[in-house]
Amino acid sequence: MVYLILVIIIISIRDIKYLVSKNMKKELYVYVTIMLLAGAFGIFYYLNPERDSFSKIMLSLIGKEG
């Protein structure tokens, strides 16, 4: 899990520097949000890979469990 977080941080720093240098503020906000979600989903999975998937949890919350 440490490697996942390190890869996300290293790639994010490189991409954020590029977006800041090109003055792309809207894209930067979207990028940071997506990277935070990817990190959160990765940590969610790696903490306990035997639990229900995030998709199954979301479907059960809206009542569409099959």
Side-chain angles (χ1 to χ4, degrees):
M1 183 164 60
V2 174
Y3 293 123
L4 172 71
I5 294 170
L6 286 175
V7 168
I8 289 174
I9 289 172
I10 291 169
I11 291 173
S12 295
I13 289 171
R14 185 181 60 89
D15 289 339
I16 288 171
K17 284 182 182 179
Y18 174 78
L19 291 172
V20 168
S21 71
K22 297 292 182 181
N23 200 19
M24 303 173 141
K25 298 219 186 284
K26 291 180 185 177
E27 290 84 355
L28 178 63
Y29 298 134
V30 173
Y31 179 79
V32 169
T33 303
I34 290 172
M35 290 306 282
L36 288 173
L37 283 173
F41 288 145
I43 291 169
F44 177 79
Y45 174 76
Y46 280 117
L47 286 177
N48 184 2
E50 299 297 323
R51 80 171 93 180
D52 290 339
S53 69
F54 185 74
S55 300
K56 187 173 182 180
I57 293 169
M58 292 304 294
L59 287 173
S60 69
L61 287 175
I62 61 172
K64 298 287 184 180
E65 190 170 343

